Amino acid sequence: MNERAIVVCATDARINERLVARGMDPMEGPCLTDVLHEAIGEKLTSREALRLWQPEKLARDPRVRAVLQRYLAAS
């Protein structure tokens, strides 16, 4: 899978999480907390997820990368 597409999906997940945290509707695609919950099995708050997980880190973690690839394949 294209590395750039995975980083873009990770960035979109962070943007969606920020929108949800501000009470707005997210764009189409995953939210960061959902991706992390599926990948690592831990439910983080929006604030924790946004603070701890930058797009580059998301794309490098094999567990998160697998979830992002599934989202990309489904779209």
Side-chain angles (χ1 to χ4, degrees):
M1 179 137 314
N2 184 346
E3 180 70 23
R4 181 75 184 136
I6 292 171
V7 173
V8 168
C9 187
T11 301
D12 287 351
R14 279 185 52 81
I15 291 169
N16 278 342
E17 193 62 46
R18 292 181 73 99
L19 291 171
V20 169
R22 292 180 179 160
M24 301 170 74
D25 291 332
M27 302 180 299
E28 186 176 324
C31 287
L32 181 59
T33 53
D34 297 334
V35 170
L36 293 175
H37 182 53
E38 188 176 336
I40 64 176
E42 189 175 339
K43 191 70 172 168
L44 301 173
T45 66
S46 289
R47 178 174 277 181
E48 292 170 324
L50 290 166
R51 183 174 50 84
L52 296 173
W53 291 87
Q54 300 301 319
E56 297 78 23
K57 182 179 178 183
L58 287 166
R60 284 192 312 264
D61 187 296
R63 302 166 299 174
V64 177
R65 185 181 184 90
V67 173
L68 293 173
Q69 286 175 330
R70 281 197 303 271
Y71 275 106
L72 287 170
S75 61

